[in-house]
Amino acid sequence: MPSPSKILLNQVSKDVVKAHLKVKETELDTCMKKYLDICEGAQFKAELLFVEKDDVAKGIVEVISEKGVKKLVMGTILAGG
């Protein structure tokens, strides 16, 4: 599958974009689960959340407020690469 950083998104079908994003989401999930294992081993309480919002900043603020977050580790998938 071509990398979206090498082609324009409007040059491929929505299915190709969705498939690429799914691969990236899986990669991010794998990475974050490793981090959760480290936290658990160090007896830190950690939780993995995936949040999709049009306004990223508002989404982050909402989760921090709702969950009472003290420390935050984030990852991202960019649709364009």
Side-chain angles (χ1 to χ4, degrees):
M1 176 182 327
S3 172
S5 63
K6 306 221 186 271
I7 59 173
L8 297 175
L9 290 177
N10 64 359
Q11 293 178 330
V12 295
S13 72
K14 288 183 180 183
D15 289 338
V16 170
V17 173
K18 279 184 179 181
H20 180 76
L21 289 176
K22 186 66 178 170
V23 167
K24 291 299 182 184
E25 182 179 308
T26 300
E27 290 172 2
L28 177 61
D29 186 53
T30 300
C31 177
M32 293 304 293
K33 283 185 178 173
K34 288 178 186 176
Y35 182 78
L36 283 176
D37 289 343
I38 293 168
C39 291
E40 184 178 305
Q43 298 182 343
F44 287 107
K45 180 181 177 189
E47 182 179 0
L48 181 60
L49 299 171
F50 287 97
V51 179
E52 292 185 45
K53 294 277 187 177
D54 290 331
D55 186 328
V56 175
K58 283 185 181 179
I60 292 168
V61 170
E62 284 176 17
V63 170
I64 289 171
S65 177
E66 290 170 6
K67 297 283 187 175
V69 173
K70 302 279 189 265
K71 295 182 181 183
L72 179 66
V73 176
M74 298 185 326
T76 185
I77 305 169
L78 297 177

